[in-house]
Amino acid sequence: MPPSALHALADLLDRSFARIADAAVDARTLDRQLIHRETNPWRSYAGDHVLPLFTAASSRPAPAGEWLARRALRRMGEFDGEQHAWVSELPGAAGLLGAAPAVDPTVPERGWDGELQPPAVQALGRAALAPYDPAAARFTGLSLECVPGGVDASVGLELPRRYAVNGPERQPARMAVRLTGVTLSAFEGGRGSSGELGWSTDEGRTEVLVGGHGRLVAERSEFRNGDWYWHDSEEGLAAALLYPPVPEGLRERRRARRRARGRNHWTDRAERWPLPLDRSSHLAAALVRQALARASLGACADRNEQRAVLDVCRVFRGAGTDVLAAGRLGGKGFRALIHRWAELGGDPMANRFANVLHGNSGTGPAGAWGRRLALELSQRPWPTAADLPALPRAAALRLLTADFEGIRLHRQPGTAVLQFAVPPRDGGGRREGWDLLTVVVEGITHLRVTPGAFAEPGRVDHLNRRRHALEWGSSLCVSWHPKTGLMRTVGQESEIRLVGRSDG
């Protein structure tokens, strides 16, 4: 008997929530990249894949639902090679997919405007940097993050072009050097400081020198080119002969197909199936979409959403299997499922549930039921200050991101984000994993990192909420001021110093 596409789609949803919960259960092992990989296929540019699951589960006859589920699976796998591999990890799902997209990130490709774009991934070396002047580079930002198996780094640079741009130059050549398996990180720089780039590779070991004070040693490295005008360089003109532009008519047809499979995915011919759906299934699908969007915030560097992600996964764990069971009962089953999710969410998630139900209720009896439930949930109490966790006793640095140009964090220039793992601030009675503490500092002008920054966690001697200060005994000390943006971190074995506007 061939594998069921509907059950495979439901198992993928169950697997996503289970993996996200495992990745976020302990801040010391928080995996932001895994959270992104598990949430992105459900809400990517290829379209919404949550509603097809609910449509297929409640469709009659059953072959129609199986056809819709198979269509959704194939569209998931056709988006890119990473999503194809993600779906294929599920036993039996590989046979339901087509061929993997033939996308090679190491070769140029045409963008949406028909212009040739540089390879997404290149080896760090003279060939990749030939159109630019590494000796006159300018430092724009740094990111260091603890990941499972080590530390990864990314250095942001602006490189002067050695070629003339055909037309007005609206964007500088912004690059990034990605490093995996960092074994040594010592860095010092500030906004506008020299970022002269040097590198050496020897027996699987890459050493990157940035400016006069930056030195990073890693196992692997890659160069990410973000130059909008690379097609005007000699290398780009030579590559254009190997990758000719797509004819205008064919390009327009490809764009039309992408738009059909994108935001307005119901206009795709494969999805126009006259299935009478109860509004309750749409409400349940909207709650799952909101849950995945909430879970995706766990991958954001400047958000502190670990506990919210764990609450979402606790409520929606096994949601795929529950959807299949509710689909057999129709609208009654989905309304019972929504009630169950609302009870599991409790007061902390009641207002979010109410907003989703109120905004997606629509008309008809099911819509009126959704509005009544939304009104009931909106009257529940909000969490108060008394529910906030206690102060941390120790902390371990997990992430440091400094953005001097407002590129990485999409905030104002001179913003830094630090994420710490702290012991459970509720006395450890609820769970064993450590919590996440996120600190956002604005107005920095200088950054210094020494090799011991990601050492073992230190003991917190003092934290004053009014002065916004954390102090780690003899190993690390962090203090900042919310108005002036002043932050200095000093220690005996490690040092991170972010200096901003002084308050005099």
Side-chain angles (χ1 to χ4, degrees):
M1 183 177 179
S4 170
L6 178 57
H7 285 82
L9 196 61
D11 291 342
L12 282 176
L13 185 61
D14 291 345
R15 189 186 70 177
S16 293
F17 280 116
R19 286 185 175 181
I20 293 171
D22 293 339
V25 70
D26 194 328
R28 293 170 295 183
T29 57
L30 179 67
D31 193 343
R32 298 192 304 117
Q33 297 179 2
L34 188 145
I35 295 176
H36 175 75
R37 287 196 301 268
E38 292 298 327
T39 57
N40 190 57
W42 296 102
R43 45 195 302 276
S44 65
Y45 292 111
D48 173 22
H49 297 121
V50 175
L51 191 56
L53 169 61
F54 285 79
T55 307
S58 57
S59 62
R60 301 292 183 272
E66 184 69 15
W67 178 72
L68 280 175
R70 183 183 294 268
R71 181 63 189 168
L73 278 176
R74 291 181 66 91
R75 192 172 57 192
M76 268 186 176
E78 291 172 355
F79 184 67
D80 58 24
E82 184 177 352
Q83 286 196 14
H84 189 280
W86 178 82
V87 178
S88 301
E89 293 175 4
L90 189 70
L96 303 171
L97 302 177
V103 178
D104 188 357
T106 62
V107 300
E109 63 176 6
R110 297 280 172 176
W112 62 270
D113 55 355
E115 298 289 357
L116 193 65
Q117 304 296 322
V121 178
Q122 295 175 274
L124 180 62
R126 297 185 182 279
L129 294 169
Y132 312 101
D133 185 7
R138 194 166 69 92
F139 171 68
T140 62
L142 173 70
S143 177
L144 291 166
E145 180 179 8
C146 285
V147 298
V151 178
D152 288 354
S154 176
V155 182
L157 301 168
E158 284 186 4
L159 296 175
R161 299 182 176 93
R162 288 175 171 169
Y163 61 90
V165 174
N166 185 15
E169 187 174 347
R170 299 187 179 91
Q171 188 80 315
R174 288 171 175 161
M175 316 292 173
V177 178
R178 301 285 182 88
L179 301 171
T180 305
V182 177
T183 57
L184 175 64
S185 58
F187 199 90
E188 183 171 2
R191 186 175 185 180
S193 63
S194 171
E196 179 181 354
L197 183 61
W199 66 93
S200 64
T201 304
D202 182 22
E203 298 180 357
R205 175 178 174 271
T206 302
E207 181 176 350
V208 177
L209 303 176
V210 183
H213 303 282
R215 182 168 178 257
L216 299 169
V217 179
E219 298 175 358
R220 295 178 300 277
S221 64
E222 62 184 35
F223 181 70
R224 299 293 183 97
N225 193 336
D227 187 4
W228 289 11
Y229 305 100
W230 179 82
H231 55 272
D232 290 333
S233 65
E234 293 183 5
E235 290 73 10
L237 295 175
L241 300 177
L242 302 176
Y243 305 94
V246 179
E248 187 66 27
L250 180 59
R251 188 191 310 168
E252 290 299 326
R253 290 196 294 273
R254 287 182 178 178
R255 288 180 182 176
R257 287 198 296 269
R258 291 194 191 101
R259 286 194 296 267
R261 290 196 295 262
R263 298 284 183 181
N264 190 15
H265 66 91
W266 287 108
T267 61
D268 191 358
R269 180 175 61 85
E271 297 291 355
R272 289 204 304 265
W273 186 269
L275 297 173
L277 292 178
D278 188 279
R279 193 69 191 177
S280 304
S281 63
H282 286 269
L283 292 176
L287 289 175
V288 174
R289 278 200 302 269
Q290 173 65 23
L292 289 168
R294 184 72 170 170
S296 67
L297 296 179
C300 297
D302 57 342
R303 300 293 294 266
N304 194 14
E305 303 289 345
Q306 182 205 16
R307 290 215 169 190
V309 170
L310 292 176
D311 288 341
V312 164
C313 294
R314 174 181 56 82
V315 173
F316 290 92
R317 181 181 288 270
T321 304
D322 295 338
V323 169
L324 296 182
R328 302 186 189 100
L329 302 176
K332 179 181 178 181
F334 283 113
R335 288 192 291 273
L337 183 58
I338 293 173
H339 262 298
R340 178 190 167 200
W341 286 340
E343 291 301 321
L344 288 175
D347 293 344
M349 300 180 64
N351 281 276
R352 291 190 177 275
F353 273 52
N355 292 336
V356 174
L357 294 174
H358 182 77
N360 295 272
S361 293
T363 59
W369 174 86
R371 287 190 293 274
R372 289 196 300 270
L373 181 58
L375 179 61
E376 175 185 341
L377 293 175
S378 63
Q379 294 175 353
R380 294 189 179 183
W382 283 76
T384 61
D387 300 325
L388 294 176
L391 304 180
R393 304 181 306 274
L397 182 63
R398 301 294 302 172
L399 169 71
L400 165 64
T401 298
D403 183 5
F404 292 99
E405 299 295 333
I407 303 170
R408 296 166 176 262
L409 301 174
H410 303 288
R411 291 173 176 260
Q412 70 175 14
T415 301
V417 172
L418 298 96
Q419 286 189 344
F420 301 93
V422 297
R425 288 166 283 175
D426 50 17
R430 291 174 54 186
R431 62 186 191 88
E432 297 179 358
W434 283 34
D435 291 330
L436 189 68
L437 175 64
T438 301
V439 178
V440 178
V441 186
E442 297 179 346
I444 65 170
T445 59
H446 193 77
L447 165 69
R448 182 180 180 185
V449 182
T450 57
F454 291 89
E456 294 296 323
R459 180 172 55 90
V460 175
D461 290 339
H462 175 71
L463 188 148
N464 188 301
R465 288 187 177 182
R466 177 175 295 181
R467 295 180 57 193
H468 296 264
L470 289 82
E471 298 179 3
W472 279 256
S474 61
S475 62
L476 196 62
C477 169
V478 180
S479 64
W480 72 96
H481 194 282
K483 293 183 179 179
T484 62
L486 176 66
M487 181 168 182
R488 295 189 182 92
T489 309
V490 181
Q492 293 181 359
E493 300 177 357
S494 62
E495 181 180 37
I496 305 171
R497 180 169 295 175
L498 305 176
V499 181
R501 298 183 299 271
S502 175
D503 55 357

